[in-house]
């Protein structure tokens, strides 16, 4: 049976790698889309390439997006990454690691890629439970974007496709995500999550992303393969 092409927004992190495994398990041929957006944790792009090579994908494009020229985030500007925040702090308010309009921009590029591929399926590993409060990870945003997508694309307006934004992780805890990926054979040792890694790629263990990742492995009772400082 011919596999349907799907665009997977892919950072090389825990969530997007699980998303990739789920898409493959559903019979999609994954075309990965990653971004060099001036992020301080560019080591994630090396992880993305490692995972793509290990898993086997239909294609992998890395686009340059100079979001650092806009700044406004601890991930793209000279602003300290918050460390050692507790669960209450992470669950309330939008942190400085939020990158203005990032998922809107990423999904827009994925739309263009999908239309050219003749695909009507985009996967994004957003999550609205164990996450840092980003507005562009919430169900309302995804639903609104999908509605917009089907008004924006030539192929959709002319009735040849109906674009679907798949968010298989959106209502899962980090532990549930890890268990789902582990059941599909995901090697999380290939992935990277840290927002503020050392020059040689070791995870800080203290940023929100590291703390959520650690918590997920502990609650899933799965050994954490992450290399921390």
């Amino acid at each position: 049976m011919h596999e349907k092409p799907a665009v997977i927004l892919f950072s090389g992190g825990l969530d997007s790698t699980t998303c990739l495994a789920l898409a493959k398990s559903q019979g999609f041929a994954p075309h990965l889309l990653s971004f060099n957006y001036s992020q301080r944790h560019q080591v994630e792009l090396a992880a993305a390439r490692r995972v793509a090579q290990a898993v086997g994908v239909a294609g992998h494009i890395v686009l340059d997006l100079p979001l650092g020229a806009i700044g406004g985030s601890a991930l793209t500007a000279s602003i300290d990454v918050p460390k050692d925040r507790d669960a209450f702090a992470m669950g309330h308010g939008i942190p400085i690691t939020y990158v203005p309009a990032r998922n809107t921009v990423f999904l827009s590029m994925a739309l263009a890629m999908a239309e050219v591929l003749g695909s009507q399926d985009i996967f994004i590993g957003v999550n609205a439970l164990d996450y840092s409060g980003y507005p562009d990870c919430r169900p309302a945003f995804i639903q609104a974007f999908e509605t917009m997508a089907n008004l924006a694309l030539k192929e959709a307006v002319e009735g040849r496709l109906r674009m679907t934004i798949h968010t298989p992780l959106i209502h899962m805890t980090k532990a549930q995500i890890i268990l789902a990926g582990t059941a599909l054979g995901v090697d999380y040792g290939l992935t990277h999550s840290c927002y503020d890694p050392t020059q040689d790629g070791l995870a800080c263990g203290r940023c929100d992303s590291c703390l959520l990742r650690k918590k997920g492995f502990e609650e899933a009772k799965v050994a954490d393969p992450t290399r921390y400082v």
Side-chain angles (χ1 to χ4, degrees):
M1 186 178 75
H2 182 66
E3 293 180 317
K4 292 192 301 181
V7 176
I8 319 292
L9 283 168
F10 195 67
S11 69
L14 186 154
D15 293 339
S16 65
T17 299
T18 307
C19 216
L20 166 60
L22 288 166
K24 282 179 70 84
S25 75
Q26 293 170 25
F28 288 99
H31 293 257
L32 307 187
L33 180 57
S34 304
F35 297 94
N36 176 11
Y37 63 94
S38 310
Q39 65 268 47
R40 70 165 67 215
H41 56 310
Q42 287 198 0
V43 65
E44 73 175 6
L45 291 174
R49 293 187 179 96
R50 277 198 307 270
V51 174
Q53 187 170 17
V55 170
V57 297
H60 185 199
I61 293 174
V62 180
L63 293 181
D64 288 327
L65 282 176
L67 296 184
I70 296 172
S73 166
L75 301 190
T76 57
S78 297
I79 301 169
D80 289 341
V81 172
K83 301 285 176 71
D84 305 318
R85 300 206 308 153
D86 61 23
F88 180 84
M90 281 192 272
H92 292 77
I94 299 170
I96 194 61
T97 50
Y98 161 72
V99 180
R102 179 176 60 180
N103 282 347
T104 306
V105 175
F106 286 5
L107 280 166
S108 297
M109 303 304 284
L111 273 189
M113 185 171 166
E115 187 168 32
V116 171
L117 287 170
S119 169
Q120 52 188 359
D121 298 281
I122 293 171
F123 283 77
I124 180 169
V126 292
N127 176 261
L129 289 182
D130 284 343
Y131 78 125
S132 292
Y134 301 148
D136 54 1
C137 289
R138 295 171 182 166
F141 165 74
I142 297 296
Q143 289 159 10
F145 192 95
E146 182 177 289
T147 299
M148 182 278 296
N150 285 294
L151 295 171
L153 298 184
K154 173 178 180 284
E155 293 290 303
V157 171
E158 293 180 352
R160 283 186 292 276
L161 63 72
R162 171 79 192 170
M163 192 61 65
T164 300
I165 313 294
H166 299 264
T167 56
L169 314 183
I170 200 156
H171 297 301
M172 298 169 71
T173 65
K174 198 66 79 180
Q176 288 169 333
I177 292 167
I178 290 166
L179 288 170
T182 300
L184 292 170
V186 171
D187 178 0
Y188 287 114
L190 298 174
T191 68
H192 178 87
S193 298
C194 180
Y195 288 153
D196 195 21
T198 63
Q199 286 192 333
D200 55 357
L202 295 178
C204 74
R206 298 170 55 205
C207 67
D208 288 4
S209 189
C210 278
L211 294 173
L212 289 169
R213 182 176 169 119
K214 280 183 179 179
K215 174 174 171 278
F217 278 107
E218 287 169 6
E219 291 180 355
K221 296 182 170 57
V222 172
D224 184 354
T226 311
R227 293 164 56 239
Y228 294 105
V229 173

